[in-house]
Amino acid sequence: AAVRRLGGDGARLAALAGRVRSGDPDNVEAQAARLYWPLCFGSDFTRDRDSGGVNARLNYGYAILRAMVGRAVCGAGLHPSLGLHHHNRYDAFCLASDMMEPFRPLVDTVVAGMEPCGPGAELDGAAKRALLEGVCGRFAVEEEARTLWDIVTRACSSLAGVVGGARRGLWLPPVEPLCGCGLQGDGLDDDGDAA
């Protein structure tokens, strides 16, 4: 979805997504990453958590998202260290890492929409503010304008329902940023309705 929002062709990524199996024994996720990052940030981009620039912006956006999801996981009555796929005895928030995965492309879209987005990108105060505003903006979900906090909270509550036996499936609908990437206003009219 992020690649499509950024004007790219995600057909090869969609084909790879259909091949992912539990535990990813064929390493399809790494194959997809090699296609995904250049589509989002250009052919010279390499995802490196220890680098600055766009990588630092991604790290900061993911930290905001992970904190939001961690809070929602706890609010839903789930234990944040009991992950579904992420397992690390040094990470007290494995479940937050699991639940944030479907929302990472939203951060990627916000970062890709920031100026400058390339070698000159910095993680300064203005970039941090733009990331916070973008991630905490409004998103379109099920024909409504909602905050990401609301969407994440509802997804975590649905997981609690699945774990507790009250639900059969996880609520994870498609989520689209309003106004392109969430940075040019919140996409709402004066009454707070989707524009």
Side-chain angles (χ1 to χ4, degrees), residues 54-67:
V54 171
N55 281 292
R57 288 178 175 182
L58 289 167
N59 293 344
Y60 191 79
Y62 296 150
I64 294 168
L65 178 61
R66 189 165 189 254

mmCIF file with all atom_site columns, all heavy atoms in Angstrom, residues 54-67:
data_model
loop_
_atom_site.group_PDB
_atom_site.id
_atom_site.type_symbol
_atom_site.label_atom_id
_atom_site.label_alt_id
_atom_site.label_comp_id
_atom_site.label_asym_id
_atom_site.label_entity_id
_atom_site.label_seq_id
_atom_site.pdbx_PDB_ins_code
_atom_site.Cartn_x
_atom_site.Cartn_y
_atom_site.Cartn_z
_atom_site.occupancy
_atom_site.B_iso_or_equiv
_atom_site.pdbx_formal_charge
_atom_site.auth_seq_id
_atom_site.auth_comp_id
_atom_site.auth_asym_id
_atom_site.auth_atom_id
_atom_site.pdbx_PDB_model_num
ATOM 1   N N   . VAL A 1 54 ? 17.377 9.608  6.212  1.00 0.00 ? 54 VAL A N   1
ATOM 2   C CA  . VAL A 1 54 ? 16.072 8.952  6.097  1.00 0.00 ? 54 VAL A CA  1
ATOM 3   C C   . VAL A 1 54 ? 15.970 7.790  7.078  1.00 0.00 ? 54 VAL A C   1
ATOM 4   O O   . VAL A 1 54 ? 14.924 7.575  7.700  1.00 0.00 ? 54 VAL A O   1
ATOM 5   C CB  . VAL A 1 54 ? 15.832 8.471  4.643  1.00 0.00 ? 54 VAL A CB  1
ATOM 6   C CG1 . VAL A 1 54 ? 14.593 7.604  4.549  1.00 0.00 ? 54 VAL A CG1 1
ATOM 7   C CG2 . VAL A 1 54 ? 15.713 9.666  3.704  1.00 0.00 ? 54 VAL A CG2 1
ATOM 8   N N   . ASN A 1 55 ? 17.053 7.051  7.273  1.00 0.00 ? 55 ASN A N   1
ATOM 9   C CA  . ASN A 1 55 ? 17.039 5.929  8.227  1.00 0.00 ? 55 ASN A CA  1
ATOM 10  C C   . ASN A 1 55 ? 16.741 6.415  9.642  1.00 0.00 ? 55 ASN A C   1
ATOM 11  O O   . ASN A 1 55 ? 15.987 5.775  10.377 1.00 0.00 ? 55 ASN A O   1
ATOM 12  C CB  . ASN A 1 55 ? 18.372 5.183  8.180  1.00 0.00 ? 55 ASN A CB  1
ATOM 13  C CG  . ASN A 1 55 ? 18.462 4.255  6.999  1.00 0.00 ? 55 ASN A CG  1
ATOM 14  O OD1 . ASN A 1 55 ? 17.749 3.269  6.933  1.00 0.00 ? 55 ASN A OD1 1
ATOM 15  N ND2 . ASN A 1 55 ? 19.330 4.575  6.044  1.00 0.00 ? 55 ASN A ND2 1
ATOM 16  N N   . ALA A 1 56 ? 17.323 7.527  10.039 1.00 0.00 ? 56 ALA A N   1
ATOM 17  C CA  . ALA A 1 56 ? 17.063 8.079  11.375 1.00 0.00 ? 56 ALA A CA  1
ATOM 18  C C   . ALA A 1 56 ? 15.601 8.509  11.497 1.00 0.00 ? 56 ALA A C   1
ATOM 19  O O   . ALA A 1 56 ? 14.973 8.320  12.547 1.00 0.00 ? 56 ALA A O   1
ATOM 20  C CB  . ALA A 1 56 ? 17.990 9.252  11.657 1.00 0.00 ? 56 ALA A CB  1
ATOM 21  N N   . ARG A 1 57 ? 15.058 9.074  10.422 1.00 0.00 ? 57 ARG A N   1
ATOM 22  C CA  . ARG A 1 57 ? 13.643 9.455  10.437 1.00 0.00 ? 57 ARG A CA  1
ATOM 23  C C   . ARG A 1 57 ? 12.751 8.230  10.569 1.00 0.00 ? 57 ARG A C   1
ATOM 24  O O   . ARG A 1 57 ? 11.772 8.244  11.310 1.00 0.00 ? 57 ARG A O   1
ATOM 25  C CB  . ARG A 1 57 ? 13.292 10.219 9.160  1.00 0.00 ? 57 ARG A CB  1
ATOM 26  C CG  . ARG A 1 57 ? 13.883 11.620 9.122  1.00 0.00 ? 57 ARG A CG  1
ATOM 27  C CD  . ARG A 1 57 ? 13.545 12.311 7.826  1.00 0.00 ? 57 ARG A CD  1
ATOM 28  N NE  . ARG A 1 57 ? 13.994 13.685 7.828  1.00 0.00 ? 57 ARG A NE  1
ATOM 29  C CZ  . ARG A 1 57 ? 13.793 14.524 6.829  1.00 0.00 ? 57 ARG A CZ  1
ATOM 30  N NH1 . ARG A 1 57 ? 13.139 14.119 5.745  1.00 0.00 ? 57 ARG A NH1 1
ATOM 31  N NH2 . ARG A 1 57 ? 14.238 15.760 6.904  1.00 0.00 ? 57 ARG A NH2 1
ATOM 32  N N   . LEU A 1 58 ? 13.073 7.168  9.845  1.00 0.00 ? 58 LEU A N   1
ATOM 33  C CA  . LEU A 1 58 ? 12.303 5.933  9.971  1.00 0.00 ? 58 LEU A CA  1
ATOM 34  C C   . LEU A 1 58 ? 12.377 5.400  11.397 1.00 0.00 ? 58 LEU A C   1
ATOM 35  O O   . LEU A 1 58 ? 11.359 5.009  11.978 1.00 0.00 ? 58 LEU A O   1
ATOM 36  C CB  . LEU A 1 58 ? 12.806 4.884  8.975  1.00 0.00 ? 58 LEU A CB  1
ATOM 37  C CG  . LEU A 1 58 ? 12.484 5.143  7.511  1.00 0.00 ? 58 LEU A CG  1
ATOM 38  C CD1 . LEU A 1 58 ? 13.298 4.212  6.611  1.00 0.00 ? 58 LEU A CD1 1
ATOM 39  C CD2 . LEU A 1 58 ? 10.998 4.987  7.240  1.00 0.00 ? 58 LEU A CD2 1
ATOM 40  N N   . ASN A 1 59 ? 13.574 5.373  11.967 1.00 0.00 ? 59 ASN A N   1
ATOM 41  C CA  . ASN A 1 59 ? 13.740 4.893  13.344 1.00 0.00 ? 59 ASN A CA  1
ATOM 42  C C   . ASN A 1 59 ? 12.880 5.692  14.310 1.00 0.00 ? 59 ASN A C   1
ATOM 43  O O   . ASN A 1 59 ? 12.228 5.123  15.200 1.00 0.00 ? 59 ASN A O   1
ATOM 44  C CB  . ASN A 1 59 ? 15.204 4.983  13.773 1.00 0.00 ? 59 ASN A CB  1
ATOM 45  C CG  . ASN A 1 59 ? 16.105 4.046  13.018 1.00 0.00 ? 59 ASN A CG  1
ATOM 46  O OD1 . ASN A 1 59 ? 15.653 3.102  12.377 1.00 0.00 ? 59 ASN A OD1 1
ATOM 47  N ND2 . ASN A 1 59 ? 17.394 4.313  13.066 1.00 0.00 ? 59 ASN A ND2 1
ATOM 48  N N   . TYR A 1 60 ? 12.883 7.005  14.169 1.00 0.00 ? 60 TYR A N   1
ATOM 49  C CA  . TYR A 1 60 ? 12.115 7.868  15.068 1.00 0.00 ? 60 TYR A CA  1
ATOM 50  C C   . TYR A 1 60 ? 10.610 7.615  14.885 1.00 0.00 ? 60 TYR A C   1
ATOM 51  O O   . TYR A 1 60 ? 9.870  7.492  15.866 1.00 0.00 ? 60 TYR A O   1
ATOM 52  C CB  . TYR A 1 60 ? 12.456 9.333  14.797 1.00 0.00 ? 60 TYR A CB  1
ATOM 53  C CG  . TYR A 1 60 ? 11.923 10.269 15.841 1.00 0.00 ? 60 TYR A CG  1
ATOM 54  C CD1 . TYR A 1 60 ? 12.585 10.422 17.058 1.00 0.00 ? 60 TYR A CD1 1
ATOM 55  C CD2 . TYR A 1 60 ? 10.768 11.005 15.622 1.00 0.00 ? 60 TYR A CD2 1
ATOM 56  C CE1 . TYR A 1 60 ? 12.100 11.286 18.023 1.00 0.00 ? 60 TYR A CE1 1
ATOM 57  C CE2 . TYR A 1 60 ? 10.276 11.869 16.586 1.00 0.00 ? 60 TYR A CE2 1
ATOM 58  C CZ  . TYR A 1 60 ? 10.944 12.007 17.783 1.00 0.00 ? 60 TYR A CZ  1
ATOM 59  O OH  . TYR A 1 60 ? 10.460 12.860 18.739 1.00 0.00 ? 60 TYR A OH  1
ATOM 60  N N   . GLY A 1 61 ? 10.169 7.518  13.641 1.00 0.00 ? 61 GLY A N   1
ATOM 61  C CA  . GLY A 1 61 ? 8.755  7.237  13.386 1.00 0.00 ? 61 GLY A CA  1
ATOM 62  C C   . GLY A 1 61 ? 8.330  5.894  13.946 1.00 0.00 ? 61 GLY A C   1
ATOM 63  O O   . GLY A 1 61 ? 7.256  5.760  14.542 1.00 0.00 ? 61 GLY A O   1
ATOM 64  N N   . TYR A 1 62 ? 9.184  4.882  13.784 1.00 0.00 ? 62 TYR A N   1
ATOM 65  C CA  . TYR A 1 62 ? 8.871  3.560  14.336 1.00 0.00 ? 62 TYR A CA  1
ATOM 66  C C   . TYR A 1 62 ? 8.849  3.588  15.863 1.00 0.00 ? 62 TYR A C   1
ATOM 67  O O   . TYR A 1 62 ? 8.071  2.868  16.485 1.00 0.00 ? 62 TYR A O   1
ATOM 68  C CB  . TYR A 1 62 ? 9.869  2.513  13.851 1.00 0.00 ? 62 TYR A CB  1
ATOM 69  C CG  . TYR A 1 62 ? 9.862  2.256  12.366 1.00 0.00 ? 62 TYR A CG  1
ATOM 70  C CD1 . TYR A 1 62 ? 11.025 1.852  11.723 1.00 0.00 ? 62 TYR A CD1 1
ATOM 71  C CD2 . TYR A 1 62 ? 8.716  2.398  11.595 1.00 0.00 ? 62 TYR A CD2 1
ATOM 72  C CE1 . TYR A 1 62 ? 11.042 1.598  10.357 1.00 0.00 ? 62 TYR A CE1 1
ATOM 73  C CE2 . TYR A 1 62 ? 8.725  2.163  10.234 1.00 0.00 ? 62 TYR A CE2 1
ATOM 74  C CZ  . TYR A 1 62 ? 9.890  1.760  9.612  1.00 0.00 ? 62 TYR A CZ  1
ATOM 75  O OH  . TYR A 1 62 ? 9.911  1.520  8.274  1.00 0.00 ? 62 TYR A OH  1
ATOM 76  N N   . ALA A 1 63 ? 9.708  4.400  16.469 1.00 0.00 ? 63 ALA A N   1
ATOM 77  C CA  . ALA A 1 63 ? 9.712  4.510  17.937 1.00 0.00 ? 63 ALA A CA  1
ATOM 78  C C   . ALA A 1 63 ? 8.400  5.118  18.428 1.00 0.00 ? 63 ALA A C   1
ATOM 79  O O   . ALA A 1 63 ? 7.834  4.663  19.429 1.00 0.00 ? 63 ALA A O   1
ATOM 80  C CB  . ALA A 1 63 ? 10.905 5.337  18.399 1.00 0.00 ? 63 ALA A CB  1
ATOM 81  N N   . ILE A 1 64 ? 7.908  6.133  17.717 1.00 0.00 ? 64 ILE A N   1
ATOM 82  C CA  . ILE A 1 64 ? 6.612  6.726  18.068 1.00 0.00 ? 64 ILE A CA  1
ATOM 83  C C   . ILE A 1 64 ? 5.517  5.669  17.940 1.00 0.00 ? 64 ILE A C   1
ATOM 84  O O   . ILE A 1 64 ? 4.689  5.492  18.841 1.00 0.00 ? 64 ILE A O   1
ATOM 85  C CB  . ILE A 1 64 ? 6.294  7.931  17.151 1.00 0.00 ? 64 ILE A CB  1
ATOM 86  C CG1 . ILE A 1 64 ? 7.280  9.065  17.383 1.00 0.00 ? 64 ILE A CG1 1
ATOM 87  C CG2 . ILE A 1 64 ? 4.854  8.410  17.371 1.00 0.00 ? 64 ILE A CG2 1
ATOM 88  C CD1 . ILE A 1 64 ? 7.220  10.159 16.322 1.00 0.00 ? 64 ILE A CD1 1
ATOM 89  N N   . LEU A 1 65 ? 5.510  4.964  16.827 1.00 0.00 ? 65 LEU A N   1
ATOM 90  C CA  . LEU A 1 65 ? 4.502  3.930  16.574 1.00 0.00 ? 65 LEU A CA  1
ATOM 91  C C   . LEU A 1 65 ? 4.576  2.823  17.617 1.00 0.00 ? 65 LEU A C   1
ATOM 92  O O   . LEU A 1 65 ? 3.550  2.394  18.154 1.00 0.00 ? 65 LEU A O   1
ATOM 93  C CB  . LEU A 1 65 ? 4.683  3.363  15.163 1.00 0.00 ? 65 LEU A CB  1
ATOM 94  C CG  . LEU A 1 65 ? 3.747  2.235  14.752 1.00 0.00 ? 65 LEU A CG  1
ATOM 95  C CD1 . LEU A 1 65 ? 2.291  2.687  14.787 1.00 0.00 ? 65 LEU A CD1 1
ATOM 96  C CD2 . LEU A 1 65 ? 4.117  1.731  13.362 1.00 0.00 ? 65 LEU A CD2 1
ATOM 97  N N   . ARG A 1 66 ? 5.788  2.376  17.943 1.00 0.00 ? 66 ARG A N   1
ATOM 98  C CA  . ARG A 1 66 ? 5.941  1.271  18.898 1.00 0.00 ? 66 ARG A CA  1
ATOM 99  C C   . ARG A 1 66 ? 5.460  1.674  20.290 1.00 0.00 ? 66 ARG A C   1
ATOM 100 O O   . ARG A 1 66 ? 4.834  0.885  20.999 1.00 0.00 ? 66 ARG A O   1
ATOM 101 C CB  . ARG A 1 66 ? 7.400  0.833  18.957 1.00 0.00 ? 66 ARG A CB  1
ATOM 102 C CG  . ARG A 1 66 ? 7.604  -0.439 19.757 1.00 0.00 ? 66 ARG A CG  1
ATOM 103 C CD  . ARG A 1 66 ? 8.994  -0.988 19.461 1.00 0.00 ? 66 ARG A CD  1
ATOM 104 N NE  . ARG A 1 66 ? 9.163  -2.286 20.033 1.00 0.00 ? 66 ARG A NE  1
ATOM 105 C CZ  . ARG A 1 66 ? 9.899  -2.535 21.124 1.00 0.00 ? 66 ARG A CZ  1
ATOM 106 N NH1 . ARG A 1 66 ? 10.529 -1.564 21.732 1.00 0.00 ? 66 ARG A NH1 1
ATOM 107 N NH2 . ARG A 1 66 ? 10.013 -3.759 21.572 1.00 0.00 ? 66 ARG A NH2 1
ATOM 108 N N   . ALA A 1 67 ? 5.735  2.914  20.682 1.00 0.00 ? 67 ALA A N   1
ATOM 109 C CA  . ALA A 1 67 ? 5.255  3.396  21.980 1.00 0.00 ? 67 ALA A CA  1
ATOM 110 C C   . ALA A 1 67 ? 3.730  3.432  22.001 1.00 0.00 ? 67 ALA A C   1
ATOM 111 O O   . ALA A 1 67 ? 3.092  3.035  22.989 1.00 0.00 ? 67 ALA A O   1
ATOM 112 C CB  . ALA A 1 67 ? 5.835  4.773  22.265 1.00 0.00 ? 67 ALA A CB  1
#
